[in-house]
Amino acid sequence: MEHRYRYKPDLRTWYATALHVLVFAAIAVALFLTYDGGYMLAWGVGLIIALIALMALSIPRRVELSDESVEIYCISDFTSIDYSEIASVRPIDKSEARFFVPLFAGVGFFGYYGYFLNLRKLDIVKIYASKWCNFVEITDICEDKYYISCDNPDEFTAFVEERIGKNRETDE
């Protein structure tokens, strides 16, 4: 039995994406007006294209809860967290996510993904989210924290806790 949670960006995420595209376009136009041709223009536009490609390849697409693991699918990345490696899972209130600062992350460009610093606990967390709400925190046995957004965090948490319980029963 498999549960699938598709990422659906909200209106705020679409506005942030449009803002990113406008900023990148404005930088490209400014480079074109400043450097009328030449290697500086090519270098700047190449850097913008590489940045957009890097961000686009990391966009989360869906989360699947299989019988063995939590699987997070991005466009070019795949993260699998086996239930035997999960120490805890819990839904997170939106107010707890206020103190996250991006370290190496995409913020608003088709979602929120990458490494963030939690200023409240001074932890580094990995976030896979299409909108900045409905978070579930997964902590593994190595104390790594993953924050995943899904439409129904209580159902997600209950299913993962059930799988963790079944996994521990089979280990004993």
Side-chain angles (χ1 to χ4, degrees):
M1 186 164 131
E2 189 172 283
H3 286 31
R4 181 177 287 182
Y5 298 92
R6 292 219 175 265
Y7 280 131
K8 300 173 202 153
D10 60 353
L11 194 58
R12 180 179 174 192
T13 304
W14 286 115
Y15 286 145
T17 301
L19 180 67
H20 277 85
V21 170
L22 287 174
V23 167
F24 290 142
I27 292 172
V29 168
L31 284 171
F32 180 73
L33 293 175
T34 304
Y35 304 104
D36 191 29
Y39 72 93
M40 287 299 287
L41 176 63
W43 183 85
V45 171
L47 183 65
I48 291 172
I49 291 171
L51 185 61
I52 290 173
L54 179 65
M55 289 172 67
L57 290 174
S58 301
I59 296 170
R61 304 304 303 153
R62 70 183 182 276
V63 175
E64 292 182 4
L65 302 176
S66 68
D67 290 335
E68 298 85 28
S69 62
V70 176
E71 299 169 347
I72 305 165
Y73 292 90
C74 297
I75 290 179
S76 71
D77 185 25
F78 172 73
T79 303
S80 178
I81 308 167
D82 194 61
Y83 293 125
S84 63
E85 297 175 358
I86 295 177
S88 68
V89 59
R90 66 184 181 105
I92 296 296
D93 189 48
K94 186 178 177 181
S95 65
E96 287 187 50
R98 281 188 298 177
F99 300 102
F100 289 168
V101 175
L103 294 177
F104 187 70
V107 179
F109 189 74
F110 292 103
Y112 305 88
Y113 42 88
Y115 293 95
F116 287 74
L117 175 65
N118 183 348
L119 292 176
R120 182 176 282 172
K121 298 179 182 176
L122 294 178
D123 283 339
I124 295 178
V125 299
K126 188 151 189 189
I127 293 180
Y128 298 97
S130 59
K131 49 191 158 198
W132 202 255
C133 62
N134 297 333
F135 283 112
V136 174
E137 178 190 71
I138 297 175
T139 305
D140 67 6
I141 56 176
C142 297
E143 300 281 326
D144 293 331
K145 294 184 190 282
Y146 300 88
Y147 281 63
I148 300 169
S149 73
C150 62
D151 290 335
N152 194 343
D154 295 326
E155 175 187 288
F156 183 97
T157 303
F159 185 82
V160 172
E161 285 177 343
E162 175 187 330
R163 290 295 174 191
I164 291 171
K166 284 183 180 180
N167 196 344
R168 289 189 180 138
E169 286 175 8
T170 58
D171 287 345
E172 291 176 352

